[in-house]
Amino acid sequence: MPIIAIIIVFSVSLSLVLFCLPFLKGTTIRRITAVASLLALAGTAYGLHGQAEFWQLLFLPQYPALLHRLSYFLVFSTEGISGPMLLMFAVMVGILALHLLATNTDTLRENRFFAWFWLSVGLGFAIFAAAHFYLLVFLWGVSVIPLFMLTSGFEDERAALAKKTLILFGGAHVLMVTGAVMAVSLSGSADITSMQTATTTATEKASFLLLLSGGLVATGIFPFQSWIIPYAKIASIRSFALMALVFQRLAGAYLLIRLCHDIFIMGETLRVVLFSLGFISAIIPLAMALAEPEPISRLAKLHLALGGMILTGIATGTRAGIVAALILATVGGAIMMPFLFAISHKKSLAVSSDPAFYGLAGIRLMAAFLKWQPVKGKRLFNAFNRMEKSAYTDIYQLGSKVVFTIYRPLTRLHDGVLQTYLVWVVVALIVLFLLK
């Protein structure tokens, strides 16, 4: 059995065990998580040391025919960009687990975090190894469940943020499903490494843009960034580190790489669009971060700026650009992580008793950036602060206004029956496309 498949099964199984044993002490769970993450990293490095692996989940002949049809989609591989992404994901999970080892929370809600942690790890390995395009899109949609559960809570702010996050990612997933069906129909294949669909016609461009929405939401590209800053403020720091900094950032970067280099052949027009989105997403959040006095919000905005740089690197279409994007995703996340947990522990970001803490140039630069006090009263900084709160830079707020403008009159006229019928019609059409 391939080592990556063993890691996926192990991660999901450990998640189920932690769900069934909520009474375990937080210290015990953190130690298990740290050791298991290091074993997963060692196993990933060992599995990628040799040739690329390829496997398919098959069922015994006496199993129902439906399961045999599903096995057609359950194809996995570690060739191409999948191998480096699996290794970087394992490294980031290990770094996060070591940081979590130093935390000291022992509540039931916080202990539940580790069950979702390992479910996310299993989903991450499955996403990066998926060779069938429909499987990749399906798993990307399932990965929104841990994101939603780690956000939600009994407080009004957490409940509102969870709803907002689910709507953003759920809407993007609906677009991705439609784009995936179009892409497979256009290319005649669902193998990610051999699709290579041109983007010359309007249909091909529409398919690319529909699929692109998922990568933009996960990576935090304007105007799909509105979930990240509230997530940093309202959700727990460990949830932000797992979801935004590690899982969604790497999953979004992986999806963008696959779309721009394997599934589609980008034309110059689409390349300019991606460059523009990347440039805007790098410059505006950086300017917002310079004007932000709160450390956690400043880190979140710097995280958004790195997402814009990642998109710009991927849009170059070169191997050097992809390598630079992946380095930014991993090294940037690794440098941010100690500062996130320092904020959660309410420690000083200006002084550290450990001289090795400032041993890396990136950490020195980050510490200086967080210590810098924004200049007040400057018109430019005030303009960027107002831009962050504007509905025109938040696609969720803008979409809400459009939806409710249409929905409320229909509700008064038809008591919601028409809307429900239209939703079922759309779902039926998607199912028909998938069956085709």
Side-chain angles (χ1 to χ4, degrees):
M1 188 175 182
I3 188 69
I4 302 300
I6 294 174
I7 294 174
I8 294 172
V9 174
F10 169 77
S11 301
V12 176
S13 301
L14 183 55
S15 172
L16 294 176
V17 169
L18 294 178
F19 273 122
C20 296
L21 300 176
F23 53 82
L24 287 177
K25 290 185 178 181
T27 304
T28 304
I29 296 177
R30 289 194 296 273
R31 289 174 180 173
I32 292 173
T33 297
V35 173
S37 63
L38 294 178
L39 290 175
L41 175 58
T44 303
Y46 177 79
L48 298 176
H49 179 69
Q51 295 181 347
E53 296 178 338
F54 179 88
W55 72 97
Q56 184 177 10
L57 182 61
L58 299 175
F59 298 93
L60 296 175
Q62 60 267 27
Y63 279 40
L66 179 61
L67 292 179
H68 292 287
R69 290 185 63 184
L70 287 177
S71 66
Y72 170 76
F73 301 95
L74 302 177
V75 183
F76 301 88
S77 173
T78 60
E79 65 179 352
I81 193 63
S82 292
M85 290 301 304
L86 286 166
L87 184 59
M88 285 187 294
F89 183 65
V91 169
M92 292 298 291
V93 167
I95 293 173
L96 177 57
L98 293 177
H99 280 289
L100 293 172
L101 188 61
T103 59
N104 190 23
T105 54
D106 208 11
T107 63
L108 179 61
R109 187 174 68 179
E110 292 297 333
N111 286 349
R112 287 287 187 182
F113 165 84
F114 290 95
W116 293 111
F117 175 94
W118 281 108
L119 180 59
S120 301
V121 171
L123 284 171
F125 275 97
I127 285 172
F128 297 135
H132 196 286
F133 191 42
Y134 284 164
L135 178 63
L136 172 61
V137 174
F138 172 77
L139 291 174
W140 194 92
V142 174
S143 69
V144 181
I145 297 175
L147 178 68
F148 172 78
M149 295 304 297
L150 289 173
T151 315
S152 59
F154 296 106
E155 300 88 353
D156 291 339
E157 283 187 335
R158 292 177 68 95
L161 175 60
K163 181 181 71 173
K164 176 179 181 177
T165 306
L166 185 62
I167 290 174
L168 281 172
F169 278 82
H173 189 239
V174 170
L175 297 178
M176 286 180 65
V177 170
T178 307
V181 173
M182 294 172 64
V184 172
S185 299
L186 290 169
S187 65
S189 172
D191 182 8
I192 294 176
T193 58
S194 62
M195 293 180 71
Q196 289 292 298
T197 305
T199 53
T200 54
T201 66
T203 305
E204 293 164 345
K205 290 178 181 177
S207 175
F208 174 80
L209 293 174
L210 289 172
L211 288 164
L212 184 67
S213 61
L216 298 182
V217 171
T219 314
I221 304 299
F222 269 80
F224 299 93
Q225 85 298 342
S226 59
W227 68 277
I228 290 181
I229 297 176
Y231 205 96
K233 293 180 179 179
I234 299 172
S236 64
I237 293 296
R238 58 173 67 183
S239 298
F240 179 79
L242 172 63
M243 283 293 125
L245 210 61
V246 177
F247 185 89
Q248 294 296 340
R249 173 52 52 88
L250 291 179
Y254 174 73
L255 180 60
L256 291 172
I257 292 171
R258 285 299 195 186
L259 290 177
C260 298
H261 298 274
D262 294 321
I263 299 174
F264 292 95
I265 303 172
M266 283 201 308
E268 292 302 319
T269 302
L270 291 177
R271 198 177 300 278
V272 170
V273 171
L274 292 185
F275 268 120
S276 301
L277 288 175
F279 182 77
I280 293 171
S281 299
I283 297 300
I284 294 180
L286 184 59
M288 289 180 178
L290 292 173
E292 178 60 57
E294 188 181 4
I296 186 65
S297 297
R298 192 179 294 186
L299 273 174
K301 291 170 183 177
L302 185 60
H303 174 74
L304 291 174
L306 286 176
M309 297 177 190
I310 290 170
L311 177 60
T312 303
I314 295 172
T316 59
T318 63
R319 182 171 296 179
I322 294 177
V323 171
L326 296 181
I327 290 174
L328 281 173
T330 52
V331 176
I335 292 175
M336 281 187 189
M337 212 169 288
F339 292 97
L340 280 171
F341 286 97
I343 293 172
S344 67
H345 296 159
K346 298 181 180 179
K347 294 179 180 178
S348 173
L349 293 172
V351 180
S352 174
S353 58
D354 184 6
F357 183 74
Y358 295 114
L360 295 174
I363 292 184
R364 286 176 178 267
L365 183 62
M366 181 74 73
F369 180 78
L370 290 175
K371 287 190 296 182
W372 180 81
Q373 295 297 319
V375 179
K376 296 182 179 180
K378 297 293 184 180
R379 291 184 178 179
L380 181 61
F381 285 166
N382 289 334
F384 280 117
N385 280 329
R386 288 194 298 270
M387 183 182 296
E388 179 191 353
K389 300 176 177 61
S390 173
Y392 298 103
T393 59
D394 186 343
I395 196 169
Y396 176 81
Q397 297 294 338
L398 189 61
S400 299
K401 292 180 181 295
V402 174
V403 168
F404 284 111
T405 301
I406 301 172
Y407 181 82
R408 283 170 180 164
L410 287 175
T411 302
R412 286 193 293 268
L413 287 173
H414 305 285
D415 198 21
V417 175
L418 179 60
Q419 297 92 303
T420 305
Y421 171 74
L422 292 175
V423 168
W424 280 110
V425 168
V426 172
V427 171
L429 288 174
I430 293 174
V431 170
L432 289 174
F433 274 120
L434 288 173
L435 291 176
K436 178 182 178 182

